[in-house]
Amino acid sequence: MRRLLLAPLTVLTLALGACGSHGSATGDDGRDISLPAPDVVATKATTDVPNCPKVATTPVPGGMPAITLGCLGGGRAVDMAGLRGPMIVNFFASWCTACHAEMPALAAFARHQSAVKVLGIDFLDTQPVGALQLAGRSHVAYPLVVDAKGSLDRSSPLPHISAMPTSVFIDAAGKVVRVDERAYTSEAEVRAAAQQYLGTSG
């Protein structure tokens, strides 16, 4: 299977159970993984993942939900409603096989242009160290936030995040213009999507 579907719920439960109980808000030791534990902070320090950005202070109609997410590995939290584009917001997780294939393509796209920003969301993932290790292997140099509880799922204007990876395209005004449930397999595919949905190729 190329992608892990997140719906219906029974399929999600079985799939996540097979991968080692991913998808809850606490790790195997019961700690709240939204807090930057020392091992997560240390792992981030071995990567090129930067600190999370400052964002606008006011939401916009049709923009991302007013939900604040922690910066993966420590740093300032991000109010998602403050995001402004052009930007690609990518939902991924350490347990998502298709995400492992896609992340290097997104990372290459982000490295080779400056017109379109990229932000990753570690989604429904109890393994933040694994997520950062994936980012390190993929040469990610864009910021990552964490949504371990799935707070963004079905938060207007976002639909149910029914498959992983999923990419959200945000225009310069901050409006969500596209939610794309597909895995990009190359930098060229990401660039073509940016051209189509954001009007720029970077």
Side-chain angles (χ1 to χ4, degrees), residues 36-37 44 50-51 74 76 89 115 131 150 174 192-193:
K44 182 176 183 177
N51 291 328
R76 70 171 60 88
V89 177

Side-chain angles (χ1 to χ4, degrees), residues 13-191:
T13 302
L14 290 173
L16 297 185
C19 293
S21 301
H22 300 291
S24 68
T26 57
D28 294 338
D29 58 2
R31 65 181 169 85
D32 182 352
I33 64 171
S34 65
L35 300 176
D39 57 336
V40 182
V41 174
T43 302
K44 182 176 183 177
T46 68
T47 72
D48 293 326
V49 175
N51 291 328
C52 290
K54 292 182 179 178
V55 298
T57 58
T58 56
V60 296
M64 289 288 282
I67 292 174
T68 298
L69 299 179
C71 193
L72 184 60
R76 70 171 60 88
V78 177
D79 180 355
M80 302 301 287
L83 295 179
R84 303 291 184 267
M87 175 182 282
I88 300 172
V89 177
N90 178 254
F91 288 78
F92 78 99
S94 64
W95 46 260
C96 166
T97 302
C99 301
H100 286 240
E102 180 188 66
M103 188 170 275
L106 280 169
F109 171 78
R111 282 197 309 273
H112 295 152
Q113 56 80 55
S114 60
V116 180
K117 295 171 282 189
V118 180
L119 175 74
I121 301 177
D122 188 24
F123 187 69
L124 291 176
D125 193 353
T126 63
Q127 304 297 327
V129 168
L132 285 166
Q133 289 172 338
L134 170 60
R137 292 193 302 272
S138 302
H139 305 291
V140 165
Y142 53 80
L144 305 174
V145 295
V146 58
D147 185 6
K149 298 180 180 180
S151 298
L152 289 175
D153 191 31
R154 293 191 176 96
S155 295
S156 182
L158 299 182
H160 173 44
I161 306 301
S162 60
M164 293 275 277
T166 289
S167 292
V168 177
F169 293 78
I170 301 173
D171 68 13
K175 182 179 179 181
V176 173
V177 295
R178 174 77 178 187
V179 178
D180 206 3
E181 293 185 342
R182 60 166 291 185
Y184 295 101
T185 59
S186 69
E187 179 184 354
E189 286 188 358
V190 180
R191 192 174 299 276

